[in-house]
Amino acid sequence: MYKLTDAEELELKKRAVQLRKNVLAIIKAGDAGHIGGALSATELMTALYYKVLKNIDPKNPKREDRDRFLMSAGHKCLIVYAVLAELGFFSKDLFSTYFKLNSKLPGHPDMHKLPGIESNTGSLGHGLPIAVGMAVGLNIDKSSSKVYVIMGDGELGEGTNWEAAAAASHHKTDNLVVMVDRNKFQLGGKTNDVMNFEPLADKWKAFGWSTRSIDGHNLKEIVDTLTDAPFEKGKPSLIICNTLKAKGISFLQDTAASHYWKVSPEQVVQAEKELDAVAKELGA
Amino acid sequence: MSDKKDPRKTFGEALAEAGEKNSRVMAISADSSSGSQMTMFKNKFPERHLEFGIMEPGITGICAGLATTGKIPVFATIAPFVTGRNFDQMKVDLGYMKQNVKVVGRCAGLSYYHLGPTHQSLEDVALMRTIPGMTILNPGDPVEIKAATLAMIEHVGPVFMKIGSDPMPVLFDESKYKFQLGKGITMKEGSDITIIGTGTVLCRAAEAADILEKEGVSVRLINIHTIKPLDNELILKAAEETGKIVTVEEHYTNGGLGGAVAELLAQNCPTEMRMIGVNDQFGSNGPYDELIGLYGLLGPQIADTCRKFLAKGKCSCCGG
């Protein structure tokens, strides 16, 4: 388990604000986008890419000994673009092409258009099965690489997730760590109203996973937990990450409407002001 | 035609042979190892055989993930469950992601003649044809099944191969046979009419060609083992030289081989066609030969369709 120092936590908080600014910059170029899930997963992505994932190398994105990250809820790809650009996988100049013809930043990620993307997601329920295949393959090769996945909570309705959950457990993929971004909203409203999957942790436990539940915006807790996986030898790990949809932008936060945001210029100015204020407060 | 062989067993033998040649080959089972004849592979390479139970969409994604680590997964099970049930995974995880996974739909077409439409697979080619980059193989005899199995594993990219389950007659001489992916085989030259057969009913097309030949008709017989990419050159040449094209397949007449040939000809060399297969109806059930006979797929029936086509010379429905 890796314990963040206060200084490291502060550093990561500054990174997280920058990533939120990147997300906003991309959306501004296209006037719309899936902002809610991108911002609820921002701290998870910050922790993963700046503290947890090993051998992530923008100069050699296909390094064999790299840890793999898959964004199963592909509509959260803006935060993936935000972090990969920040790390130098590609230029931030690409942000302005978002939603333009043949852009390398489509509304769902394409591994053949950008370096650093491990799978083409968007159609829900695909990321976890692919991740299980990767984890099984890496185990066969006796690799020490791990596979990390962020899933949406609305995505849990897809049956393939539960097929993969059984398979991961059956094949003892303890190199697989899955985070459910539990922001509690999906397109049509609150997840528990649309289709209730509670008690969620019990379901994963029943499928043979080792589970924990954390505050998905608390960087210390995220890093502690991710670096403690596998929680049990021989079992895949599942972390329910309690988050707020569109975290960090007051007028969107914790609303179903933030799922897909059609931007007005006034709102962008307001959102930029809010993020600037947080950055200033952190000394960024 | 000589002796008959079990297409699944032939596939299983070829897979085991491929496993010897290439240690990256893995056999993936959806509770289907014995039914797909992968037991031989499993016994030889137990560590390279993975069982996942009955979860075909999930397994298709798992295969894509395995492929990203350099494995060559060969996933074989009942055809409709690896084309229809998992279509989104075939499209996204294998097609869009361009993953090197080989999917084998066995007992395809009307092979499950007693089990009805849930297990019959008359739309598999139509579905797979819509996926960019997906290679579609439909070998027509045991020699070709073996060659196609080895070739699909050597080919880099997603492949769907369909095989039947009824014993198939040997049509080709193994010592001379060469499989070239994407290239059809002219089995007989002729100038009056061309019959294009594929897969399980290639032997029926060959039987029809023999019948007609004895009646003095000059029949060209083409075997299309690769439906995608289609051998455009060979088919256009046949259309130009014989003027009449008949397609024969154990599949719906829309979207399969007939559809592919019609699309090609309509845009490049409009040619009268007849398409023999199942016409927009769910398959019935009954003994195999009787069942394919319901859809005009027996050799003498194919010959009869050709005869009428040649006699009328024009459209059989409107006489125009």
Side-chain angles (χ1 to χ4, degrees):
Chain A
M1 185 191 288
Y2 185 85
K3 291 270 180 197
L4 279 186
T5 63
D6 290 343
E8 284 174 319
E9 187 190 26
L10 178 62
E11 190 55 36
L12 289 191
K13 280 183 176 174
K14 291 178 187 171
R15 300 270 190 206
V17 179
Q18 183 56 49
L19 296 187
R20 286 197 164 90
K21 284 185 173 181
N22 289 355
V23 168
L24 195 61
I26 300 168
I27 287 194
K28 197 173 160 184
D31 292 335
H34 287 102
I35 194 166
L39 298 191
S40 61
T42 298
E43 275 74 21
L44 299 176
M45 290 294 282
T46 307
L48 279 165
Y49 275 89
Y50 289 101
K51 278 293 169 208
V52 179
L53 296 176
K54 292 195 176 67
N55 304 325
I56 297 298
D57 182 357
K59 290 190 181 62
N60 184 10
K62 294 278 180 194
R63 231 180 108 151
E64 263 196 35
D65 60 353
R66 73 193 184 283
D67 284 340
R68 271 70 163 174
F69 169 73
L70 288 87
M71 181 60 92
S72 183
H75 58 279
K76 295 179 199 279
C77 62
L78 298 182
I79 190 64
V80 182
Y81 300 156
V83 75
L84 291 179
E86 202 61 40
L87 289 169
F89 278 83
F90 50 85
S91 165
K92 287 189 191 180
D93 291 346
L94 284 183
F95 289 176
S96 63
T97 69
Y98 173 65
F99 275 14
K100 305 287 190 297
L101 182 65
N102 292 328
S103 169
K104 290 180 187 300
L105 308 184
H108 294 111
D110 181 346
M111 65 196 287
H112 301 298
K113 284 194 168 179
L114 285 176
I117 306 274
E118 298 282 0
S119 71
N120 293 359
T121 48
S123 181
L124 297 173
H126 284 239
L128 188 56
I130 294 168
V132 171
M134 287 178 180
V136 171
L138 291 168
N139 274 345
I140 291 169
D141 294 340
K142 301 190 176 9
S143 163
S144 58
S145 299
K146 287 190 174 130
V147 183
Y148 296 84
V149 183
I150 292 181
M151 298 174 69
D153 50 2
E155 185 184 8
L156 295 171
E158 294 288 0
T160 44
N161 293 319
W162 303 101
E163 295 180 3
S169 162
H170 183 88
H171 286 282
K172 300 184 170 39
T173 53
D174 63 4
N175 54 345
L176 175 63
V177 184
V178 175
M179 291 145 271
V180 174
D181 179 5
R182 188 80 177 101
N183 62 35
K184 300 171 197 69
F185 283 102
Q186 58 194 103
L187 179 65
K190 291 189 174 176
T191 51
N192 288 359
D193 294 337
V194 175
M195 180 50 65
N196 185 13
F197 274 87
E198 293 294 353
L200 195 49
D202 288 347
K203 285 190 171 66
W204 288 91
K205 273 183 202 146
F207 274 78
W209 289 57
S210 192
T211 72
R212 290 193 189 165
S213 184
I214 63 169
D215 174 348
H217 296 303
N218 183 323
L219 286 155
K220 279 190 174 176
E221 209 177 333
I222 297 167
V223 173
D224 274 8
T225 311
L226 283 174
T227 54
D228 201 28
F231 309 142
E232 284 180 74
K233 196 170 164 42
K235 286 189 175 185
S237 305
L238 187 282
I239 310 166
I240 296 171
C241 306
N242 293 294
T243 59
L244 293 171
K245 196 136 180 163
K247 163 85 171 171
I249 297 181
S250 63
F251 54 91
L252 293 173
Q253 188 170 298
D254 209 24
T255 65
S258 73
H259 182 82
Y260 189 82
W261 183 34
K262 191 89 179 85
V263 186
S264 75
E266 299 75 30
Q267 284 178 318
V268 171
V269 172
Q270 172 68 21
E272 282 172 339
K273 269 186 194 167
E274 291 187 15
L275 293 177
D276 283 342
V278 177
K280 198 176 169 192
E281 201 177 302
L282 293 168
Chain B
M1 286 183 208
S2 61
D3 55 326
K4 289 185 171 187
K5 285 189 177 171
D6 177 347
R8 286 181 282 170
K9 188 158 179 279
T10 306
F11 159 70
E13 288 164 357
L15 180 64
E17 187 180 324
E20 294 272 9
K21 287 182 183 162
N22 190 334
S23 63
R24 296 189 297 137
V25 175
M26 298 194 70
I28 309 299
S29 167
D31 191 22
S32 59
S33 255
S34 55
S36 303
Q37 293 281 345
M38 297 196 291
T39 316
M40 209 181 315
F41 184 99
K42 183 183 177 182
N43 291 340
K44 270 191 171 179
F45 315 106
E47 74 290 350
R48 288 197 269 140
H49 172 277
L50 294 178
E51 178 61 73
F52 288 97
I54 304 167
M55 50 166 78
E56 295 85 358
I59 296 174
T60 310
I62 288 168
C63 286
L66 278 168
T68 67
T69 68
K71 315 290 178 293
I72 306 174
V74 179
F75 175 26
T77 191
I78 300 169
F81 309 141
V82 285
T83 47
R85 182 195 288 269
N86 66 338
F87 180 75
D88 200 36
Q89 282 71 24
M90 294 296 280
K91 171 189 153 188
V92 177
D93 305 357
L94 271 49
Y96 183 31
M97 280 178 62
K98 301 180 186 171
Q99 292 305 307
N100 192 24
V101 176
K102 318 302 165 183
V103 174
V104 178
R106 49 99 170 166
C107 305
L110 294 160
S111 294
Y112 274 125
Y113 40 91
H114 287 309
L115 301 187
T118 61
H119 280 59
Q120 292 165 357
S121 179
L122 295 168
E123 66 292 311
D124 46 18
V125 171
L127 291 169
M128 292 301 103
R129 277 187 62 222
T130 62
I131 300 174
M134 181 68 72
T135 295
I136 304 171
L137 302 180
N138 191 22
D141 94 326
V143 171
E144 197 160 84
I145 288 176
K146 181 182 172 186
T149 303
L150 299 175
M152 80 170 177
I153 288 167
E154 223 161 87
H155 172 77
V156 179
V159 177
F160 168 67
M161 179 170 83
K162 63 185 283 190
I163 56 174
S165 68
D166 238 44
M168 290 176 101
V170 177
L171 304 178
F172 298 106
D173 177 350
E174 192 163 10
S175 64
K176 291 179 189 158
Y177 181 83
K178 275 202 170 58
F179 182 92
Q180 210 185 334
L181 200 138
K183 290 288 170 200
I185 295 173
T186 303
M187 293 170 69
K188 223 176 70 57
E189 287 293 353
S191 54
D192 294 336
I193 190 167
T194 299
I195 304 177
I196 306 178
T198 186
T200 46
V201 286
L202 178 65
C203 58
R204 314 288 178 165
E207 189 188 345
D210 285 345
I211 294 169
L212 292 167
E213 199 71 31
K214 281 178 191 144
E215 294 169 8
V217 181
S218 175
V219 180
R220 185 173 302 187
L221 177 65
I222 290 177
N223 164 27
I224 291 292
H225 52 63
T226 309
I227 298 179
K228 189 177 178 180
L230 193 64
D231 189 343
N232 295 351
E233 200 185 333
L234 189 72
I235 293 168
L236 285 171
K237 188 165 176 280
E240 280 162 16
E241 292 177 359
T242 73
K244 291 182 175 58
I245 301 278
V246 178
T247 55
V248 180
E249 60 192 315
E250 197 175 314
H251 187 277
Y252 286 132
T253 48
N254 53 334
L257 171 70
V261 169
E263 287 166 21
L264 172 72
L265 296 183
Q267 296 179 84
N268 296 281
C269 179
T271 306
E272 266 204 276
M273 285 182 68
R274 297 293 180 267
M275 297 181 196
I276 305 179
V278 180
N279 183 23
D280 199 24
Q281 59 189 301
F282 288 106
S284 188
N285 48 282
Y288 182 63
D289 272 24
E290 290 178 44
L291 186 58
I292 67 168
L294 272 186
Y295 310 109
L297 281 163
L298 295 171
Q301 295 174 311
I302 297 166
D304 198 41
T305 299
C306 291
R307 257 184 234 115
K308 285 177 182 155
F309 188 12
L310 284 161
K312 281 210 166 183
K314 290 190 176 177
C315 178
S316 62
C317 59
C318 62

